[in-house]
Amino acid sequence: MTNSATTSGARLPVLSRFLTPLLARHATHIVMGLGILALDLLTPPPLMFPILFVLPVALSALFCSTRLASVLAVLLPVGRFCIATFVDATDSIAANIANALIQIAVLSILAFLVAHTVHLSREIKVLRGRLPICMWCKRIRDEGGSWQKLETYIAEHSEADFSHGLCP
């Protein structure tokens, strides 16, 4: 690897350590949404930034809560509707309402899908790699070199539980 690749690889954990607590705060996503609305308000009407609403909605569903993502999915398009109707006044109110409803629907679906994916990924704990197992007693050798029962090893390294019975 080159020196720059090594340096950027070393920066990633530092950046992650800084951003994760910041993204876990509700205020971060609210300020991000308000910043996008302010940017939309301050620029001329041909420049529109509602596509950026995806960022606070998706990130809040990923790092905070589904409720915040859903609230942002509704309030940000409503804010854009107010800007389009009362400040820009370029389209009819019916067109602005239709655009706002489309944005609300798309952002709500996005919030649901991201939150659902986060929920599913938290439930999954996967065993990976090759497990050294005894052919005779079916015990597994762990990282420390000691042998454990198959059930014990899997229960410690996943969220699986075992119930025992007798086969016919």
Side-chain angles (χ1 to χ4, degrees):
M1 277 196 316
T2 65
N3 190 21
S4 64
T6 307
T7 306
S8 66
R11 288 183 195 157
L12 189 60
V14 173
L15 187 62
S16 176
R17 213 173 347 166
F18 171 72
L19 284 179
T20 302
L22 186 64
L23 290 172
R25 297 183 186 149
H26 288 54
T28 301
H29 308 289
I30 295 168
V31 168
M32 190 185 312
L34 290 174
I36 294 168
L37 283 174
L39 185 65
D40 199 28
L41 180 64
L42 297 174
T43 56
L47 294 176
M48 292 187 267
F49 294 94
I51 188 65
L52 295 178
F53 292 162
V54 168
L55 293 174
V57 170
L59 291 174
S60 63
L62 186 63
F63 289 100
C64 286
S65 68
T66 309
R67 181 173 292 154
L68 176 63
S70 300
V71 168
L72 288 174
V74 172
L75 291 182
L76 292 174
V78 168
R80 173 64 192 135
F81 168 78
C82 292
I83 291 171
T85 303
F86 301 115
V87 177
D88 295 343
T90 55
D91 292 328
S92 68
I93 292 180
N96 291 338
I97 290 173
N99 284 331
L101 291 175
I102 291 168
Q103 290 172 1
I104 289 170
V106 170
L107 291 173
S108 297
I109 291 170
L110 174 70
F112 170 76
L113 291 175
V114 171
H116 186 65
T117 303
V118 167
H119 174 72
L120 291 178
S121 68
R122 287 183 183 153
E123 287 185 5
I124 297 174
K125 191 171 181 185
V126 179
L127 290 174
R128 293 186 192 262
R130 195 174 292 211
L131 298 175
I133 188 167
C134 176
M135 290 182 355
W136 184 67
C137 69
K138 304 297 184 207
R139 290 181 182 252
I140 296 178
R141 189 177 64 230
D142 63 12
E143 296 84 15
S146 62
W147 294 88
Q148 296 181 354
K149 286 190 204 177
L150 177 71
E151 296 90 348
T152 305
Y153 185 85
I154 291 176
E156 287 177 0
H157 291 84
S158 72
E159 294 182 9
D161 291 325
F162 288 90
S163 64
H164 290 84
L166 295 173
C167 59

